[in-house]
Amino acid sequence: MNSRASIELDNFAEKLEAFYASCEELEGSGAWDVDELGPMCGYFEADLFAVTLQVMRADGVFEHAEAEVLNAMFGTDYTPRQLGQLYRDAEPLAHVYVGEEPDALTVLGRIDPALRDEYRDLLLEACRIVSLSDGVAEKSERMLIAALREALA
């Protein structure tokens, strides 16, 4: 991983950590329905992982560099082959926010609109970092991110 990617990942990690701290505060205040939605940090981590995985898959291939970045983001240790299998097992992951407000953002917007905006920015940043991790954002990745950006506007 090059130094620029490492710096971007460090910045992303700081923002994600701050987001999770806010989630824990909201959950502790009772604003988040743990019984219905599960732990708040886990809910948003799963959502972020699914969206990021979808962007990685947009060009049809899970590259080693993409897996390395995803592993750094989420503290996992997947190979490209394992990510491909995970993607196939989890289909349809196509809830990737194309054309409608995603549940995660709708729910969060009702509780804390500022945190909703923070999460939207995290989604877009994660997708951008992953799309550039193999050195170039393929057209299919750029198109998916553009559709995501439009749906999140």
Side-chain angles (χ1 to χ4, degrees):
M1 184 179 326
N2 66 40
S3 60
R4 180 177 174 199
S6 182
I7 291 168
E8 287 191 25
L9 282 171
D10 287 346
N11 291 337
F12 176 81
E14 288 176 19
K15 291 175 188 176
L16 186 60
E17 189 174 313
F19 175 78
Y20 286 156
S22 297
C23 287
E24 288 173 4
E25 281 183 36
L26 278 176
E27 189 175 311
S29 75
W32 180 260
D33 189 346
V34 176
D35 292 334
E36 181 182 340
L37 301 168
M40 192 172 182
C41 290
Y43 181 94
F44 286 99
E45 181 176 51
D47 187 71
L48 182 61
F49 186 89
V51 172
T52 305
L53 191 64
Q54 184 77 12
V55 170
M56 288 174 62
R57 180 66 174 102
D59 64 0
V61 179
F62 288 103
E63 299 286 344
H64 178 74
E66 291 172 326
E68 185 179 14
V69 167
L70 182 106
N71 287 332
M73 284 179 161
F74 294 100
T76 55
D77 192 27
Y78 292 111
T79 65
R81 172 176 248 147
Q82 289 169 325
L83 288 173
Q85 187 61 49
L86 181 64
Y87 179 84
R88 286 186 295 282
D89 290 347
E91 271 194 283
L93 282 173
H95 78 287
V96 172
Y97 308 161
V98 178
E100 61 185 65
E101 170 91 349
D103 290 342
L105 288 175
T106 300
V107 170
L108 191 54
R110 286 187 203 125
I111 298 169
D112 188 328
L115 194 58
R116 176 209 182 273
D117 293 344
E118 193 176 315
Y119 182 64
R120 180 196 60 225
D121 294 344
L122 277 170
L123 280 170
L124 292 171
E125 186 171 350
C127 292
R128 183 187 62 75
I129 291 169
V130 166
S131 73
L132 294 171
S133 63
D134 58 357
V136 66
E138 300 291 336
K139 182 178 180 182
S140 55
E141 292 169 331
R142 291 191 315 270
M143 289 174 60
L144 184 58
I145 293 170
L148 175 62
R149 181 174 284 109
E150 185 176 318
L152 298 179

